[in-house]
Amino acid sequence: MQPVTPKARQTRVRYAMVALVFVNVVINYLDRTNLAVAATALKDDLGLSPVELGYILSAFGWSYAFLQIPGGLIADRYGPRVLYAFCLITWSIATVFQGFARGFFSLFGLRMATGAFEAPSYPINNRIVTSWFPDHERAGAISLYVSGQFIGLAFLTPVLIILRDSVGWQGLFVITGLVGILWGLIWYFFYRDPLDHPGVNEAEIDYIEKGGGLVSGKKRSHAQVSVWQWSNLKQVFSSRTLWGVYIGQFAVNATLWFFLTWFPTYLEKYRGFDLKKFGYLASVPFLAACAGLLLSGFISDALVKRGTSVGVARKTPIIFGMLLSVSIVGANYTNDTGEIIFFMALAFFGSGLALISWVFVSLLSPKNLIGLTGGVFNFMGNLASIVVPIVIGYLAKDGDFKPALLFIGAVSLIGACSYIFIVGKIERVITKAEREANLVAGVPPSAV
């Protein structure tokens, strides 16, 4: 770490680190959505019914969701540099092997493997941002790295379609997997925690710490890594406020997973779009979601800086975004191509507005349980990655996709209501151990 001098300016290494996380997210979602692009081709090659395709599209979610809590614990225990490199390389290897799948069960199993190795990724992302950014910059930082899933998919979806049509769905998996393996090596070479990075100076470290960033690293972190206790899990499941954001995250992810799984099939099979000629149309909703996400993050941070309460500044764009996502139902009432894309883009723009919801993990988590809380939060949210593809498969099995869009709209409305009626005052959850320690130290509850 560079020493500070009276004339030394604060370094900006934190922005380089969030840029690396941004690319991680692009790779992450590339390997989630490649199946959606390949679906129409492999469905015919492997003889899959719409219901079977729904289960295949949900396979990633089974392991990804149910390993979020272990993934959060692992993120609390191991450093992001080594753990993220391991995850990137292993899930990318599983992606390569998907190109050699020969039936329902082999593809289902490999998609589950991809989900398993991706499970710690978002708890790691949250840990990195919590370590590198002060509170008042965190929503913007989160919106920056989460935007990777939309910017990457917006510009790469047409590329994936071209790859599918030129090298087949098998080659699509192989190429995307190899890209992830290469990036895993690059990540390991460049990433460091704040106190281990040679380019950061004391001024930036102090700025992060004074702003509420939980700077971690061997040079200043003397706290012992918390061991697993059932009471910790009970703590993050017993908070009414946390339950409100858990339900809200399921609703946000419901819209997201429609676009990550069934959206290309909806356009091609149920609306008759020729994505070979009009693949750019599939990119429009992703660009809209990215715009919503970036707008939400920076507006929310600006409100906090101007003195608006954290609750209002953080919850307002999420509530408005989920209400806006209900507009997806409008696509049921038109056959015009432009109008269909408009309603899809408007709904996904709303979903983007709501995707700063990860900021609540940083704001509400007990300080020593950020990874665990992030794991539970992502577990609850990613139950949508299991439920949504399967439910849509059943709702659309007779050739009518309208009930599926009604389902997505209804879930979005429930999510908005959760933030309105269940999420209360925004304050960090205090564990029993912390409460007892504060009492011993004479710290009143109101001062915590």
Side-chain angles (χ1 to χ4, degrees), residues 36-118:
V37 173
T40 53
L42 68 83
K43 176 180 177 291
D44 295 332
D45 286 354
L46 301 181
L48 301 175
S49 69
V51 172
E52 289 175 321
L53 181 59
Y55 277 102
I56 290 291
L57 291 169
S58 78
F60 172 96
W62 287 94
S63 54
Y64 183 80
F66 284 100
L67 289 176
Q68 282 306 298
I69 295 174
L73 292 169
I74 292 171
D76 279 337
R77 178 65 180 85
Y78 297 101
R81 182 190 180 203
V82 173
L83 181 58
Y84 224 143
F86 172 80
C87 291
L88 277 159
I89 292 170
T90 50
W91 90 54
S92 297
I93 291 172
T95 299
V96 170
F97 278 103
Q98 287 168 46
F100 302 93
R102 290 295 177 266
F104 175 89
F105 291 104
S106 60
L107 187 54
F108 190 92
L110 287 166
R111 290 300 291 182
M112 287 190 69
T114 304
F117 290 121
E118 283 197 23

Side-chain angles (χ1 to χ4, degrees), residues 10 16 36 50 56 62 76 103 115 146-147 152 164 172 214 231 246 250 281 305 316 330 337 367 390 409 443:
Q10 180 195 124
I56 290 291
W62 287 94
D76 279 337
V146 175
S147 70
R164 181 196 66 185
L172 173 61
L214 303 180
S231 59
Y246 295 158
F250 178 93
L281 291 175
K305 291 176 182 178
T316 299
T337 298
K367 289 185 178 181
I390 293 175
V443 179

Side-chain angles (χ1 to χ4, degrees), residues 258 328 332 391-393 395-396 400-410:
F258 159 71
I328 197 171
N332 283 343
V391 170
I392 290 178
L395 291 176
D400 184 3
F401 212 87
K402 290 182 180 178
L405 296 186
L406 286 171
F407 165 69
I408 298 299

Side-chain angles (χ1 to χ4, degrees), residues 21 84 120-132 138 142 145 357-363 365 369-371 373-375 377:
V21 176
Y84 224 143
S121 58
Y122 264 71
I124 300 172
N125 292 344
N126 194 63
R127 174 177 168 174
I128 291 169
V129 170
T130 303
S131 297
W132 272 103
R138 203 164 294 148
I142 290 172
Y145 79 69
S357 50
W358 264 98
V359 74
F360 286 103
V361 176
S362 298
L363 291 171
S365 301
L369 299 177
I370 291 177
T373 308
F377 175 83

Side-chain angles (χ1 to χ4, degrees), residues 159-226:
V159 176
L160 294 179
I161 293 169
I162 293 171
L163 282 175
R164 181 196 66 185
D165 295 336
S166 59
V167 299
W169 61 267
Q170 298 92 339
L172 173 61
F173 286 121
V174 172
I175 291 172
T176 52
L178 291 176
V179 169
I181 293 171
L182 176 61
W183 179 254
L185 298 174
I186 295 173
W187 164 267
Y188 181 80
F189 184 79
F190 283 104
Y191 179 80
R192 298 292 187 280
D193 281 332
L195 297 175
D196 297 322
H197 199 289
V200 70
N201 66 9
E202 191 73 20
E204 184 172 12
I205 292 293
D206 289 343
Y207 174 76
I208 295 168
E209 286 188 314
K210 289 177 182 178
L214 303 180
V215 176
S216 61
K218 60 184 178 182
K219 297 179 183 177
R220 289 196 185 183
S221 180
H222 302 290
Q224 296 296 317
V225 176
S226 60

Side-chain angles (χ1 to χ4, degrees), residues 184-360:
L185 298 174
I186 295 173
W187 164 267
Y188 181 80
F189 184 79
F190 283 104
Y191 179 80
R192 298 292 187 280
D193 281 332
L195 297 175
D196 297 322
H197 199 289
V200 70
N201 66 9
E202 191 73 20
E204 184 172 12
I205 292 293
D206 289 343
Y207 174 76
I208 295 168
E209 286 188 314
K210 289 177 182 178
L214 303 180
V215 176
S216 61
K218 60 184 178 182
K219 297 179 183 177
R220 289 196 185 183
S221 180
H222 302 290
Q224 296 296 317
V225 176
S226 60
V227 296
W228 165 256
Q229 296 178 7
W230 282 106
S231 59
N232 291 340
L233 186 62
K234 180 181 178 181
Q235 183 75 48
V236 298
F237 268 114
S238 60
S239 166
R240 171 193 169 106
T241 299
L242 286 176
W243 266 105
V245 298
Y246 295 158
I247 295 169
Q249 190 66 3
F250 178 93
V252 173
N253 279 0
T255 302
L256 173 64
W257 278 96
F258 159 71
F259 282 97
L260 292 179
T261 56
W262 279 100
F263 180 55
T265 301
Y266 167 71
L267 293 181
E268 286 188 301
K269 297 296 184 182
Y270 294 89
R271 287 300 194 170
F273 285 22
D274 184 354
L275 292 184
K276 293 180 182 179
K277 295 181 179 179
F278 303 105
Y280 65 91
L281 291 175
S283 299
V284 174
F286 290 100
L287 291 172
C290 180
L293 175 63
L294 294 174
L295 181 66
S296 178
F298 289 109
I299 287 178
S300 182
D301 278 348
L303 288 173
V304 171
K305 291 176 182 178
R306 292 180 181 179
T308 305
S309 71
V310 173
V312 172
R314 302 310 194 198
K315 287 194 287 186
T316 299
I318 295 174
I319 293 169
F320 180 74
M322 283 192 284
L323 290 174
L324 201 58
S325 291
V326 179
S327 64
I328 197 171
V329 176
N332 283 343
Y333 302 99
T334 181
N335 291 317
D336 180 79
T337 298
E339 292 178 358
I340 291 170
I341 295 300
F342 169 78
F343 283 116
M344 293 286 132
L346 184 62
F348 215 10
F349 174 80
S351 181
L353 286 173
L355 272 172
I356 62 162
S357 50
W358 264 98
V359 74
F360 286 103

